């Protein structure tokens, strides 16, 4: 986009006047933010139109990424960056006395996701647009995103995230594209023209209204769409339809309205505990049905026959949450387009593909038959028929293996298994890192792998280097460009060219200086926000991610307590000063996770206030972890903590963001950590702990006893007793849950088992960090290899191997 700063200045003044009747001097920062964002949206509107027009005119294959979560964060800076007008905007605003960074801080994070899965969806959207692929997001416009976290007296307190309260500058409401989604009612089979048809009766209608957000490609003309659906009553706005209720029964009408609107009201703050909530199931069907209806409507406008749908449309399912896509697409093809079953099935399976994001049993979705039957009777009939046909096929393939058939059936024991339905009803299922895919194939989904080996494939996750390097760490990005030129910005794999400079003193010094500056800036923020003084010369050792027992924040904390105990014994102990930084939200109903947050804060308070250890270690817990906070903390990290129990973390994507910003990873051989190690080599990562194979063996043969370790390892014994005894300043019962988890319930995630190996790995960190040259060389090596983990790279593989989609140049 070619826009000079004079034009931007003029347009911005005009916009401010037009929207608020204010000039730059009078307007608040928030108004300036709104006016400026609205201007940026205007700048991209023509290309948005052109992209859509061209996709439709040429019936280009379009990918629709269906996800319950899109954790997109803030958009102002990334939109400017992708449009190529970041510098011009900064200068234009500066000349008007406005600092772009102040406007950025006015933007609320769009926190429409829990963690990795939602953020991956956001990175994928950015990559699809940036490599010029017609790929769009389809999800829910939650009125409340993931809760805001406050830490009060060390405890997590959840506050509703009313992010839309003052409007969303980036969205466009499309009333004319609204569709109706039906719930409940009855289905009657009827014969019509010699064909069995199904009549729906007595259902409730919900109006699904799309809000579109532009997804701007990097320095190309592509603008794709993130379409988020909002649930409304079918009647026009405030006019309640009293005819469908007892006339005058106002409160009933109001109740109805609020029941309908509840569907898109709140994002479930869970990232692994399936709770079988009716509302969540309604949310799933709501956006799936709306999305597929709108895709088909738009597809038919190209003039192509419905039978060719799969040639022009790919629907990708992000985890099982949108799994009702299979029966919903079947329903539309069978009942509305009057296509016969076999042909409808052929179209459906060729259109749909699915990614699995976890092997944690508690996150594998199953829904009760009765619930599905009542909420979506026709959909249930279709699922039953899919299951019937599938089981029939299994009986032929495995005539004497009834237990296998029971395990693989879609419906069993009064429940519908969503993953099974997707594997059967789609053409591709992928895991998100090599190890994860191997575990799926050899264990969780082995029966399906045997039946359909051709459907299984791996797609290791990736992250967008635009947000996580260019935007989050602009000085590093600039220096990389000074060193190797700017081709890496479009082709992140070119970062590998940095390798030749990893031993150059001048490059090392500059890298070191940039990291140090980032750390100083962060220390200043911490001082002014939390009143805690941290030393930018210390090692910043960072673990930021959702709080979950398998991610083992507690292992990190045990190491901290171990160091603290050593320092108490010998305050002159020679350890390199460290600042341990945590940030994590816990699901509100996940009590163990909340106790761990309290424990981190309690330990932090004790250590930070203990003068006797001479500031050698500090512990910080940053509240309200979210995308915009991640962008601030990751560029400062020296150490990236990726310490999940091997086999449990499907991939991890934080690991990639840290690596790209020059942090050194301390890791178990889990998820994508393994691929990071394969890229950078053993000398540039610090690994420890049991392998996935060892973990799975121990799980299988039950050969583990945590209390044995507790009784035999003095370090651990002491730490556990300190936690339980009130030594930390809390009552002795405060951390009972944690004790029970680790000792009484035999430490499900092998924290005590891996402790010794972790401590040794941390000693290696301490030693390595003292050798500045070596450390920076490692850091550069990590940055150089990080291009492999760009989501552009990942998306190209999805496009070639799953979607069969091509790039389209927009003119
Ligand atoms: C599961 C459930 C279960 C039902 C209740 C609500 C809910 C919400 C989200 C999820 C998905 C959890 C799975 C997840 O986030 N997986 C993460 O996906 C990342 C991207 O692939 C990956 O890097 C992480 O390792 C993986 O934990």
């Amino acid at each position: 986009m070619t826009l000079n700063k004079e034009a931007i200045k003029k347009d911005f003044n005009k916009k401010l006047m037009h929207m608020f009747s204010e000039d730059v001097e009078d307007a608040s920062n928030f108004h300036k933010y709104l006016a400026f964002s609205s201007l940026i949206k205007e700048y991209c509107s023509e290309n948005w139109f052109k992209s859509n027009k061209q996709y439709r005119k040429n019936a280009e294959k379009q990918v629709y990424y269906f996800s319950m979560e899109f954790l997109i964060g803030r958009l102002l800076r990334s939109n400017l960056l992708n449009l190529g007008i970041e510098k011009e905007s900064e200068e234009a605003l500066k000349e008007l006395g406005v600092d772009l960074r102040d406007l950025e801080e006015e933007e609320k994070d769009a926190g429409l996701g829990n963690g990795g899965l939602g953020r991956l969806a956001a990175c994928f959207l950015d990559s699809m647009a940036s490599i010029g692929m017609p790929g769009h997001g389809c999800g829910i416009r939650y009125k409340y995103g993931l809760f805001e976290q406050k830490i009060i007296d060390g405890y997590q307190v959840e506050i509703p995230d009313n992010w839309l309260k003052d409007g969303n500058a980036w969205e466009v409401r499309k009333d004319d594209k609204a569709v109706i989604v039906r719930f409940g009612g009855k289905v009657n089979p009827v014969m019509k023209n010699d064909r069995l048809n199904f009549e729906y009766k007595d259902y409730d209608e919900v109006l699904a209204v799309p809000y579109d957000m532009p997804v701007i490609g990097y320095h190309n003309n592509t603008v794709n769409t993130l379409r988020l659906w909002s649930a409304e009553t079918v009647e026009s706005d405030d006019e309640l339809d009293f005819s469908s209720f007892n006339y005058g029964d106002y409160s009933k009408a109001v109740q109805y309205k609020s029941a309908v609107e509840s569907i898109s009201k709140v994002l479930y703050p869970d990232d692994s505990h399936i709770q079988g909530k009716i509302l969540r199931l309604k949310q799933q069907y709501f956006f799936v049905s709306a999305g597929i209806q709108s895709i088909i409507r738009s597809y038919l406008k190209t003039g192509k026959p419905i039978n060719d749908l799969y040639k022009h449309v790919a629907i990708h399912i992000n985890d099982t949450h949108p799994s009702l896509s299979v029966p919903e697409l079947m329903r539309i093809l069978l009942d509305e387009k009057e296509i016969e079953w076999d042909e409808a099935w052929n179209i459906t399976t060729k259109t749909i593909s699915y990614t699995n994001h976890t092997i944690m049993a508690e996150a594998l979705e199953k829904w009760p038959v009765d619930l599905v039957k009542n909420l979506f009777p026709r959909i249930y009939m279709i699922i039953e028929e899919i299951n019937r046909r599938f089981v029939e096929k299994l009986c032929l393939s495995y005539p004497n293996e009834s237990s296998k058939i029971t395990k693989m059936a879609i419906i069993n024991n009064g429940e519908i298994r969503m993953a099974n339905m997707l594997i059967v009803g789609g053409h591709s299922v992928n895991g998100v890192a090599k190890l994860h895919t191997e575990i799926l194939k050899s264990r969780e989904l082995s029966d399906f792998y045997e039946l359909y080996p051709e459907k299984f494939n791996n797609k290791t996750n990736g992250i967008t280097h635009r947000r996580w390097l260019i935007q989050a760490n602009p000085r590093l990005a600039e220096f990389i460009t000074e060193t190797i030129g700017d081709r890496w910005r479009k082709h992140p794999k070119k970062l590998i060219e940095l390798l030749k400079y990893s031993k150059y003193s001048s490059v090392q010094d500059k890298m070191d200086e940039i990291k140090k500056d980032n750390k100083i800036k962060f220390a200043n923020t911490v001082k002014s926000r939390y009143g805690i003084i941290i030393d930018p010369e210390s090692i910043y050792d960072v673990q930021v991610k959702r709080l979950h027992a398998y991610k083992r924040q507690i292992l990190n904390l045990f190491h901290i307590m171990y160091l603290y105990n050593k320092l108490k014994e010998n305050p002159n102990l020679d350890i390199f000063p460290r600042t341990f930084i945590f940030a994590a939200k816990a699901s509100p109903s996940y009590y163990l996770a909340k106790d761990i947050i309290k424990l981190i804060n309690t330990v932090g308070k004790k250590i930070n206030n203990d003068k006797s250890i001479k500031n050698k270690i500090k512990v910080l817990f940053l509240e309200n972890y979210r995308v915009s906070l991640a962008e601030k903390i990751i560029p400062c990290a020296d150490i990236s903590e990726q310490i999940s129990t091997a086999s449990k973390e499907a991939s991890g994507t934080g690991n990639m963001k840290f690596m790209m910003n020059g942090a050194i990873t301390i890791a178990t051989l889990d998820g994508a950590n393994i691929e990071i190690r394969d890229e950078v080599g053993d000398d540039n990562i610090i690994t420890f702990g049991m392998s996935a194979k060892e973990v799975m063996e121990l799980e299988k043969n039950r050969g583990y006893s945590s209390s044995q370790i507790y009784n035999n390892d003095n370090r651990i014994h002491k730490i556990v007793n300190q936690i339980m005894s009130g030594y930390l300043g809390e009552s002795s019962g405060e951390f009972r849950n944690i004790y029970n988890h680790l000792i009484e319930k035999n430490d499900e995630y092998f924290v005590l088992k891996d402790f010794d190996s972790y401590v040794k790995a941390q000693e290696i960190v301490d030693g390595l960090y003292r050798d500045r040259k070596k450390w920076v060389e490692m850091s550069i090596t990590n940055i150089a290899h990080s291009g492999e983990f760009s989501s552009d790279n990942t998306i190209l593989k999805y496009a070639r191997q799953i979607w069969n989609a091509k790039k389209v140049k927009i003119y």
Side-chain angles (χ1 to χ4, degrees):
M1 169 156 276
T2 45
L3 266 169
N4 61 37
K5 72 175 181 216
E6 290 310 321
I8 297 175
K9 267 160 73 176
K10 199 167 132 228
D11 293 345
F12 176 56
N13 280 327
K14 239 166 86 183
K15 198 86 205 170
L16 211 45
M17 191 54 70
H18 178 76
M19 285 175 71
F20 302 108
S21 300
E22 288 170 348
D23 66 10
V24 191
E25 268 156 47
D26 295 342
S28 65
N29 273 346
F30 186 62
H31 278 182
K32 285 180 215 159
Y33 157 72
L34 282 179
F36 196 61
S37 307
S38 147
L39 178 65
I40 303 309
K41 193 171 71 188
E42 206 173 288
Y43 284 156
C44 78
S45 57
E46 197 176 317
N47 277 339
W48 199 1
F49 167 80
K50 277 190 195 161
S51 302
N52 282 327
K53 188 100 174 168
Q54 211 174 306
Y55 295 159
R56 176 163 312 160
K57 197 173 106 228
N58 302 332
E60 302 288 2
K61 183 150 194 180
Q62 313 217 28
V63 178
Y64 297 92
Y65 198 82
F66 275 43
S67 178
M68 284 284 270
E69 305 188 7
F70 287 95
L71 190 47
I72 49 188
R74 291 173 172 164
L75 290 177
L76 177 55
R77 176 76 68 170
S78 62
N79 283 345
L80 292 177
L81 176 74
N82 286 6
L83 281 174
I85 55 168
E86 192 191 13
K87 288 276 162 301
E88 293 78 353
S89 299
E90 235 159 13
E91 282 166 19
L93 289 170
K94 199 164 164 202
E95 287 182 16
L96 295 170
V98 180
D99 189 334
L100 176 60
R101 284 169 303 187
D102 292 337
L103 301 198
E104 265 184 276
E105 291 301 319
E106 294 293 322
E107 181 169 4
K108 287 213 143 225
D109 274 49
L112 309 184
N114 273 285
L117 166 139
R119 183 56 231 174
L120 185 76
C123 283
F124 279 5
L125 291 184
D126 184 73
S127 283
M128 288 193 283
S130 295
I131 62 180
M133 273 203 22
H136 315 281
C138 176
I140 297 175
R141 180 181 180 268
Y142 300 105
K143 188 165 178 212
Y144 295 92
L146 187 64
F147 66 87
E148 189 187 320
Q149 178 195 54
K150 287 233 178 304
I151 299 296
I152 299 178
D153 192 22
Y155 295 101
Q156 164 173 301
V157 174
E158 301 99 24
I159 317 269
D161 167 47
N162 196 356
W163 73 293
L164 288 170
K165 188 166 60 78
D166 303 307
N168 171 8
W170 303 110
E171 68 188 11
V172 183
R173 182 182 162 103
K174 294 273 172 78
D175 280 291
D176 59 320
K177 303 256 162 56
V179 298
I180 284 175
V181 178
R182 292 181 288 200
F183 291 90
K186 295 188 185 66
V187 181
N188 293 326
V190 286
M191 285 308 283
K192 204 175 106 191
N193 305 332
D194 275 351
R195 187 179 191 274
L196 186 60
N197 279 23
F198 293 87
E199 248 181 31
Y200 312 164
K201 278 169 85 181
D202 304 331
Y203 48 81
D204 290 323
E205 291 187 334
V206 172
L207 188 69
V209 183
Y211 285 74
D212 287 356
M213 293 166 89
V215 182
I216 302 171
Y218 180 72
H219 297 193
N220 57 16
N221 294 327
T222 301
V223 182
N224 291 334
T225 302
L226 168 58
R227 174 162 283 184
L228 299 178
W229 297 93
S230 179
E232 296 185 8
T233 48
V234 175
E235 304 80 45
S236 65
D237 257 2
D238 306 313
E239 288 293 322
L240 294 169
D241 179 9
F242 293 107
S243 60
S244 58
F245 304 94
N246 297 330
Y247 192 77
D249 191 347
Y250 183 76
S251 79
K252 219 169 171 181
V254 170
Q255 254 175 35
Y256 171 66
K257 185 167 156 67
S258 106
V260 166
E261 287 169 359
S262 71
I263 293 174
S264 57
K265 196 153 211 163
V266 57
L267 165 75
Y268 273 93
D270 254 314
D271 74 346
S272 55
H273 290 259
I274 164 96
Q275 287 175 328
K277 290 264 167 62
I278 297 180
L279 188 57
R280 191 171 156 92
L281 185 59
K282 279 190 179 173
Q283 290 185 329
Q284 297 186 350
Y285 183 65
F286 167 73
F287 93 96
V288 156
S289 174
I292 295 188
Q293 289 185 58
S294 100
I295 289 169
I296 291 190
R297 198 195 258 181
S298 140
Y299 167 69
L300 290 175
K301 286 191 190 150
T302 64
K304 301 279 178 196
I306 188 75
N307 308 61
D308 284 353
L309 182 77
Y310 65 91
K311 294 183 185 158
H312 304 274
V313 168
I315 295 178
H316 198 86
I317 306 297
N318 198 24
D319 220 278
T320 51
H321 319 149
S323 58
L324 291 171
S325 298
V326 171
E328 176 64 3
L329 180 52
M330 284 296 286
R331 181 190 70 77
I332 295 174
L333 296 172
L334 295 166
D335 296 359
E336 294 181 9
K337 305 299 167 207
E338 305 202 338
I339 293 174
E340 295 313 308
W341 183 280
D342 287 341
E343 175 61 1
W345 185 246
N346 180 45
I347 299 170
T348 300
T349 51
K350 285 183 171 161
T351 305
I352 288 178
S353 49
Y354 149 64
T355 298
N356 173 290
H357 292 267
T358 183
I359 57 158
M360 304 292 290
E362 61 267 40
L364 289 181
E365 281 192 303
K366 296 182 192 104
W367 289 103
V369 160
D370 290 340
L371 193 62
V372 176
K373 207 190 255 179
N374 284 331
L375 279 177
F376 335 107
R378 177 63 182 138
I379 290 297
Y380 181 69
M381 288 169 80
I382 294 170
I383 297 176
E384 232 179 8
E385 180 61 12
I386 296 173
N387 183 52
R388 193 189 64 75
R389 288 172 184 243
F390 178 55
V391 170
E392 203 172 82
K393 179 181 147 118
L394 289 178
C395 290
L396 288 176
S397 307
Y398 309 110
N400 301 315
E401 297 180 66
S402 67
S403 73
K404 191 183 193 107
I405 297 174
T406 315
K407 246 167 71 197
M408 294 176 79
I410 295 167
I411 303 175
N412 182 251
N413 209 7
E415 288 182 321
I416 306 171
R417 298 155 169 170
M418 308 321 256
N420 297 19
M421 182 167 74
L422 274 168
I423 301 170
V424 177
H427 63 91
S428 168
V429 41
N430 73 282
V432 289
K434 279 182 195 156
L435 173 69
H436 172 57
T437 303
E438 285 314 310
I439 293 176
L440 289 178
K441 291 200 295 195
S442 63
R443 296 170 68 104
E444 316 300 315
L445 304 176
S446 59
D447 292 326
F448 286 96
Y449 179 54
E450 186 188 314
L451 186 64
Y452 303 120
E454 72 290 352
K455 290 194 187 188
F456 283 74
N457 62 91
N458 175 248
K459 294 286 165 286
T460 299
N461 283 164
I463 56 162
T464 166
H465 66 292
R466 288 166 290 277
R467 180 175 294 262
W468 297 107
L469 173 52
I470 302 179
Q471 181 183 321
N473 203 343
R475 285 200 55 206
L476 178 59
E478 248 163 62
F479 180 61
I480 293 173
T481 298
E482 274 169 36
T483 312
I484 60 169
D486 68 358
R487 300 229 314 142
W488 68 274
R489 290 176 185 253
K490 276 244 166 190
H491 307 282
K493 280 197 183 175
K494 299 263 181 252
L495 283 169
I496 201 69
E497 289 173 16
L498 268 178
L499 261 194
K500 355 186 225 295
Y501 301 95
S502 68
K503 288 186 167 38
Y504 277 42
S505 292
S506 61
V507 173
Q508 290 180 345
D509 291 348
K510 188 73 189 174
M511 288 280 187
D512 206 22
E513 181 196 315
I514 292 169
K515 179 70 81 183
K516 181 68 67 55
D517 282 353
N518 291 341
K519 288 168 74 177
I520 293 172
K521 224 170 84 195
F522 182 75
N524 292 336
T525 317
V526 169
K527 190 172 158 205
S528 62
R529 259 215 84 167
Y530 298 91
I532 299 178
I533 295 178
I534 58 173
D535 178 7
E537 298 287 338
S538 65
I539 301 173
Y540 283 15
D541 181 329
V542 185
Q543 186 172 22
V544 290
K545 49 180 79 244
R546 276 302 281 263
L547 216 141
H548 203 294
Y550 83 79
K551 295 178 189 278
R552 301 201 293 191
Q553 279 91 352
I554 211 165
L555 177 59
N556 188 344
L557 198 65
F558 266 44
H559 169 245
I560 296 171
M561 291 183 73
Y562 160 74
L563 284 183
Y564 178 61
N565 288 337
K566 288 215 334 175
L567 282 167
K568 290 299 282 181
E569 280 164 22
N570 173 13
N572 292 322
L573 186 76
D574 180 25
I575 61 166
F576 202 96
R578 273 210 219 196
T579 305
F580 294 94
I581 300 169
F582 293 87
K585 286 181 182 173
S587 177
S589 58
Y590 189 0
Y591 298 106
L592 177 65
K594 293 174 107 173
D595 289 343
I596 296 173
I597 291 181
K598 172 68 178 169
L599 182 59
I600 297 171
N601 283 305
T602 307
V603 170
K605 195 165 148 198
K606 175 110 185 155
I607 292 180
N608 298 344
N609 291 321
D610 187 337
K611 300 264 178 318
S612 75
I613 59 163
K614 304 183 177 164
N615 292 324
K616 288 229 168 111
I617 55 176
K618 287 265 162 80
V619 183
L620 275 182
F621 187 98
L622 306 172
E623 68 185 1
N624 203 26
Y625 186 55
R626 61 199 184 283
V627 175
S628 58
L629 182 57
E631 286 168 28
K632 295 189 174 98
I633 181 69
I634 291 172
C636 309
D638 297 304
I639 284 288
S640 155
E641 295 275 352
Q642 309 300 336
I643 60 177
S644 53
T645 313
S647 79
K648 306 294 178 197
E649 188 71 274
S651 161
T653 44
N655 45 5
M656 302 165 182
K657 294 165 198 163
F658 280 101
M659 164 199 202
M660 192 172 268
N661 281 277
I664 307 303
T665 315
I666 180 165
T668 46
L669 292 174
D670 198 15
N673 299 347
I674 297 176
E675 285 149 87
I676 293 179
R677 186 214 41 194
D678 292 346
E679 279 296 313
V680 302
D682 281 315
D683 291 346
N684 296 295
I685 185 169
I686 296 143
T687 59
F688 73 96
M690 285 192 287
S691 68
K693 209 169 141 225
E694 287 166 335
V695 168
M696 293 188 295
E697 271 305 305
L698 259 193
E699 283 173 340
K700 208 166 121 195
N701 66 26
R702 298 170 184 272
Y704 176 53
S705 159
S706 65
S707 49
Q708 212 169 34
I709 301 186
Y710 167 62
N711 289 325
N712 292 320
D713 187 321
N714 293 336
R715 301 163 301 179
I716 289 179
H717 202 88
K718 182 164 181 176
I719 294 166
V720 173
N721 288 359
Q722 284 172 332
I723 292 174
M724 288 307 291
S725 66
Y727 168 82
L728 297 170
E730 293 291 338
S731 73
S732 57
E734 182 76 37
F735 301 115
R736 181 92 224 166
N737 255 338
I738 295 180
Y739 176 85
N740 285 349
H741 176 79
L742 291 176
I743 312 294
E744 311 265 292
K745 296 190 195 147
N746 204 25
D747 183 19
E748 190 180 351
Y749 297 109
F750 304 101
V751 173
L752 307 195
K753 176 86 182 159
D754 274 347
F755 175 78
D756 182 59
S757 156
Y758 183 57
V759 168
K760 290 189 175 120
Q762 289 288 18
E763 281 163 3
I764 295 176
V765 169
D766 183 285
L768 282 172
Y769 195 81
R770 294 168 196 242
D771 182 351
R772 299 305 304 144
K773 282 193 120 15
K774 174 83 190 109
W775 187 268
V776 184
E777 185 188 329
M778 288 168 71
S779 170
I780 297 172
T781 308
N782 271 273
I783 301 169
H785 285 282
S786 67
E788 188 59 34
F789 300 100
S790 136
S791 43
D792 296 5
N793 191 20
T794 312
I795 281 294
L796 279 171
K797 292 180 182 156
Y798 273 88
R800 287 190 196 125
Q801 297 164 11
I802 300 180
W803 302 329
N804 191 23
K806 306 257 166 332
K807 296 181 187 177
V808 173
K809 196 158 174 49
I810 305 298
Y811 297 99

